[in-house]
Amino acid sequence: MPGPIAADQILRVPLLPLLAAQGLSVRRNAQLLPEPTGPREGREGRGPRLRLLLAGDSSAAGVGAGTQKQALSGQLVRQLGKHYTVEWRLEATTGHTTRDTIERLQNIEGRYDVAVTALGVNDVTRAVTKAQFMHRQTRLLKLLTETLGTRRIVLTGVPQMHRFPALPQPLAWVLGRQAGRLDHGLQQVAASFTQARHLSLSLPDDPALAAPDGYHPSPKAYAIWAEEVAQIIRDQG
């Protein structure tokens, strides 16, 4: 039975003209940062073999960093390389939703010990409902565990979009509330898979953690994110 309608969902209707105008303004004035340069697969480190897959949207792709070494992939591989021989692959693209990522991963080969995902922002901006998001995330986890053989999965939480510097009010509030709903759904999905862990990435209020576009992480934020993911992977053993 559906729950009560949230305040932001009720107010979204009278606010629609303003929200639409703000959304258009954000898109027009956005500083479009490119995906970073550098390899998207490789082998690094010493120790037991660890096959690592990173998948998702622009944040997984490292937008906000100049090179992949400064992005999530490079910083995570560097952290894990202290303990493992990491064979890694990055499958991420700006604008991708959960559904896009499922389609992409259906076309890759190989098996992986660990997968790290970063998804949700584009599901929010495309008005994906919590139920739809949970269904698609469940499909994604089944693909990772059953088809790609992944034994450990770190699901990065849906970002707190109300904190994005590039978003004006009330657009930031509306998108932030929806992001919170999707993240709650993601936590529920993670709890239903023994292989999965949900990472609630809560960064401090530090302007240095945001990229110049006010929408993506900076290299400093990617470093914090990579450290937390690496700790979860080591704890999972």
Side-chain angles (χ1 to χ4, degrees), residues 81-103:
K82 301 173 185 177
H83 307 275
Y84 307 95
T85 298
V86 185
E87 298 175 5
W88 64 279
R89 177 170 180 169
L90 173 63
E91 294 286 344
T93 298
T94 298
H96 268 198
T97 62
T98 302
R99 184 160 55 186
D100 295 325
T101 300
I102 291 170
E103 293 175 358

Side-chain angles (χ1 to χ4, degrees), residues 15-124:
L15 287 173
L16 189 58
L18 175 58
L19 296 174
Q22 288 185 332
L24 182 60
S25 177
V26 168
R27 285 193 292 272
R28 282 177 174 171
N29 298 320
Q31 183 178 353
L32 299 179
L33 300 179
E35 294 183 3
T37 60
R40 294 194 169 218
E41 59 183 335
R43 178 187 172 100
E44 185 175 325
R46 297 181 63 182
R49 182 190 189 197
L50 184 76
R51 297 165 297 180
L52 171 68
L53 174 67
L54 298 100
D57 56 23
S58 56
S59 62
V63 172
T67 68
Q68 287 295 339
K69 285 189 175 296
Q70 299 174 312
L72 176 65
S73 63
Q75 303 216 47
L76 178 57
V77 169
R78 184 164 60 252
Q79 288 271 351
L80 294 174
K82 301 173 185 177
H83 307 275
Y84 307 95
T85 298
V86 185
E87 298 175 5
W88 64 279
R89 177 170 180 169
L90 173 63
E91 294 286 344
T93 298
T94 298
H96 268 198
T97 62
T98 302
R99 184 160 55 186
D100 295 325
T101 300
I102 291 170
E103 293 175 358
R104 180 169 186 158
L105 296 185
Q106 285 173 336
N107 296 316
I108 71 169
E109 298 180 352
R111 296 178 74 81
Y112 296 89
D113 301 303
V114 178
V116 179
T117 68
L119 290 160
V121 168
N122 298 307
D123 293 272
V124 170

Side-chain angles (χ1 to χ4, degrees), residues 106-187:
Q106 285 173 336
N107 296 316
I108 71 169
E109 298 180 352
R111 296 178 74 81
Y112 296 89
D113 301 303
V114 178
V116 179
T117 68
L119 290 160
V121 168
N122 298 307
D123 293 272
V124 170
T125 59
R126 286 164 176 75
V128 172
T129 67
K130 178 182 176 181
Q132 290 171 329
F133 186 67
M134 291 180 65
H135 174 71
R136 292 169 189 175
Q137 284 287 328
T138 299
R139 286 182 55 206
L140 176 59
L141 264 66
K142 286 183 177 179
L143 172 62
L144 289 170
T145 57
E146 297 174 7
T147 304
L148 299 177
T150 312
R151 297 183 290 109
R152 288 172 277 173
I153 303 169
V154 179
L155 301 172
T156 305
V158 181
Q160 298 173 336
M161 296 184 69
H162 65 282
R163 297 176 63 189
F164 285 10
L167 297 177
Q169 295 292 357
L171 181 63
W173 175 69
V174 170
L175 295 181
R177 290 291 296 265
Q178 181 63 5
R181 277 189 288 273
L182 296 197
D183 190 55
H184 182 256
L186 186 62
Q187 293 177 48

